[in-house]
Every structure is written in C-alpha cells, then in structure tokens.
Amino acid sequence: MTVNSSHVSHFTLGAYFDTGPLRWLYFLILTSVYVLIVLSNLILIFVICFNRTLHEPMYIFLCSLFMNELYGSTALFPLVLFQIPKDVHTVLPPFCFLQIFCIYSYVSVEFLTLAVMSYDRYQSICFPLQYSARMNFIKVFLLITFSWLYPLVSILVLVLLSLPLQLCDDVIPKVYCDNYFIVKMACTDTKLNNVYGLLITSVIIMGPLGFIFFTYLCILKVCFNGSKATRQKALSTCGPHLASIVNFSFGVCFEVLQSRFDLRNVHSVIRVILSLYFLAVQPLFNPLIYGLKLTKVRVLCRNLLRSAVS
C-alpha cells in the first residue's frame, strides 16, 4: 500500500535505541552542549554588532556565520532532546519536513558563507590597497544576502519535490529527518528528485569548495612572493577559516558516506555521534576557534566577560 508523504500520520526515527537510565545522562550532556552553543555564538554576535571597531567585512561575515550556527543547532537539538526520554521515536510530517529544510539550508549557508569569507581574505591579502573599494558595504550586503537567500530557495524546492511522493515505508534510519531516506522510501519514480538533489549537492557543496580552493591558491602565491608581514597576516586570519572548512567538510563527508553506504559494522553509538558531528561540533567549534585566534575578538570578549562578572 502506498501513501502520499503529506498524508503519512508520522515518521519513525529508527536510529534511536534503548539506553535505559543513561538516557537522562545523554539528555543532560546534549542540553549542556546546546546551551553552550547558544551562549558562545550569541556572545560573539553581540560583541561584533555593538563594537564599531569590528564593523569590517571580515567580522560582518563572521557574524553571519555565527547566526547560521544558531540556526543549524536549533534545527537539531530541540527535536533530539524531545526524543531522548521517549520510548517511541516518532515525528509528525510537518515537523519532519521543517527540520529537513532547516538542516539542509544550514549546510548550504555554511558552505556559501565560508566561500564568501575566503573571497574576502583573497581581496584583503592579494589586493590590500584596493580592499576598501572592492569590499564596500553594498558588496558585503549582496554577498551575505546571496549566501542566505539562494540556499533557502533551492532547499525549499527540494522539500516541495519530496512532499507529493508516494511512500512504501515511514521509518527514517536516523536520529533526525533526512530527505535522502524519504526519497528512498518512495514507491514512485524519483528521477526528478535524484537529479535535482545531485545538482544542488554539486552547486552548493562542490561549487563553494572549488572556489575556496582557487582563492587559497592565489593567497598562497602572494604569500610566497610577499613579505613576512603578508605571510603573518594570512596565517592569523586564514588559519581559523581553514580549520573551520576542514572540520565542517569532514562532518558532512561522513554523513554523506553514511547515507550512501552500509556502515552496520560500525557501532551504533559511534554512527550516531558522527552523524551529529557537523550539526553539534561545528556550531561550537567556530566561536571557539575564532574567539581564541582573532585578537580583536578575543580582547573584546574578555572585557565583556570581566564586566559581566564585576
């Protein structure tokens, strides 16, 4: 019997398993992580917004990145925290598709924002004298708007293509909703979904990564031919950015591999932890790495915390 996905009574999240009394320990740990994510990102957003010395393109892009971390973590943690204490792990279709939209758009915005930040570093290091003219307010505004608007529209289309599918099952083998598995459960032709999904993956993931690779080749070329001061500037501002790209790409890569290949030989706890990596670690990693490595941000955060304590 087939059923329209919009008329499925619920989806079952099949990756949850009985942990007995430990469920409350996991609940406490994840709650602490979520609170830490929210506080760390909000503090940095506050510091950047309310300090004129940080009203520069690099820090404005960072503010957009931190806002995306809040967006992505909120797409995950409330549902997971709601599911942990329950014995039956089901979710209503509207909430499931909303979570798919939020998580997929979070990933897309993250990659595009990192690409925009690499472009900003390219302009700053390769064209320092023309930087202010090249990265004016209008250009910064357009880049941020594009990095958010394009993913939101393209992922909305992805979700709308999945809504009318006729499904033969209602079990998603994850701890959160995933469009890939909903398409796999379809009994009808999904060629359009697959083609569009492949296109979006190429444009929103491979496209930004290719662009980042190109900009860093240009930056490396300038560093090798430039002065020691140029190399130090590149290292101080590009180091956290590169660490963020590598960390996020690792998490997304594992998630894609886990969805496409049979990893039943991997322990279920490890599979769950690694599947949550890009949604749980990246939102905590970015404020930590940028807060510690960027001197201006570190000093202002320290002053803010001191004034709050006193």
Side-chain angles (χ1 to χ4, degrees):
M1 178 181 176
T2 63
V3 60
N4 189 293
S5 65
S6 61
H7 295 95
V8 170
S9 61
H10 63 267
F11 288 108
T12 300
L13 300 174
Y16 289 93
F17 50 91
D18 185 20
T19 55
L22 286 177
R23 71 177 67 183
W24 296 109
L25 175 61
Y26 296 143
F27 181 87
L28 181 61
I29 292 172
L30 288 179
T31 301
S32 301
V33 170
Y34 183 48
V35 170
L36 191 57
I37 287 171
V38 171
L39 289 177
S40 59
N41 283 280
L42 281 179
I43 288 172
L44 288 173
I45 291 171
F46 176 83
V47 166
I48 292 171
C49 289
F50 291 95
N51 286 275
R52 287 184 173 274
T53 57
L54 299 183
H55 291 180
E56 302 172 10
M58 181 176 74
Y59 298 107
I60 295 172
F61 294 136
L62 271 179
C63 190
S64 177
L65 188 71
F66 297 144
M67 289 177 66
N68 191 46
E69 307 307 351
L70 289 174
Y71 173 61
S73 57
T74 303
L76 171 72
F77 280 94
L79 179 63
V80 172
L81 292 173
F82 177 75
Q83 293 290 339
I84 287 176
K86 294 175 63 179
D87 294 321
V88 179
H89 307 286
T90 60
V91 58
L92 296 174
F95 293 107
C96 191
F97 283 105
L98 176 62
Q99 187 180 49
I100 288 171
F101 172 78
C102 291
I103 289 177
Y104 276 52
S105 57
Y106 158 73
V107 173
S108 306
V109 171
E110 190 82 1
F111 275 118
L112 281 175
T113 302
L114 290 171
V116 166
M117 291 173 69
S118 73
Y119 175 73
D120 174 67
R121 292 301 82 208
Y122 162 74
Q123 293 289 352
S124 175
I125 295 168
C126 298
F127 305 98
L129 299 179
Q130 298 88 25
Y131 176 71
S132 297
R134 287 172 176 260
M135 295 300 293
N136 55 48
F137 174 79
I138 295 175
K139 193 169 189 178
V140 170
F141 174 77
L142 289 176
L143 287 171
I144 291 177
T145 301
F146 174 76
S147 65
W148 279 86
L149 189 60
Y150 180 75
L152 292 177
V153 173
S154 58
I155 299 303
L156 178 61
V157 173
L158 182 76
V159 173
L160 291 176
L161 287 174
S162 299
L163 279 173
L165 290 176
Q166 303 294 318
L167 304 182
C168 295
D169 197 0
D170 60 5
V171 178
I172 300 173
K174 303 285 288 291
V175 294
Y176 58 86
C177 295
D178 191 325
N179 187 73
Y180 175 77
F181 288 101
I182 289 179
V183 173
K184 280 187 69 176
M185 292 188 293
C187 304
T188 52
D189 181 42
T190 59
K191 185 180 296 182
L192 180 60
N193 301 76
N194 294 328
V195 170
Y196 186 77
L198 184 61
L199 178 65
I200 287 298
T201 301
S202 302
V203 171
I204 291 183
I205 296 180
M206 302 309 298
L209 286 177
F211 180 78
I212 291 169
F213 180 75
F214 170 76
T215 57
Y216 269 97
L217 283 179
C218 297
I219 290 171
L220 284 173
K221 183 179 178 180
V222 170
C223 288
F224 282 129
N225 297 328
S227 63
K228 183 179 179 181
T230 302
R231 289 192 291 271
Q232 288 177 339
K233 178 183 178 182
L235 182 63
S236 63
T237 59
C238 295
H241 182 248
L242 278 173
S244 179
I245 294 167
V246 172
N247 183 68
F248 191 65
S249 298
F250 166 77
V252 172
C253 180
F254 180 84
E255 183 59 8
V256 171
L257 291 175
Q258 181 177 238
S259 299
R260 270 61 178 180
F261 299 100
D262 184 8
L263 299 180
R264 282 179 293 184
N265 292 330
V266 180
H267 194 278
S268 55
V269 175
I270 296 176
R271 285 206 312 271
V272 169
I273 291 174
L274 289 177
S275 70
L276 297 177
Y277 185 90
F278 73 105
L279 288 163
V281 175
Q282 183 76 355
L284 196 56
F285 179 83
N286 275 340
L288 180 65
I289 193 73
Y290 283 106
L292 291 175
K293 290 294 184 181
L294 297 180
T295 305
K296 281 187 178 182
V297 176
R298 184 175 67 249
V299 171
L300 288 169
C301 284
R302 187 188 302 145
N303 293 338
L304 177 65
L305 292 174
R306 282 177 180 173
S307 61
V309 171
S310 59

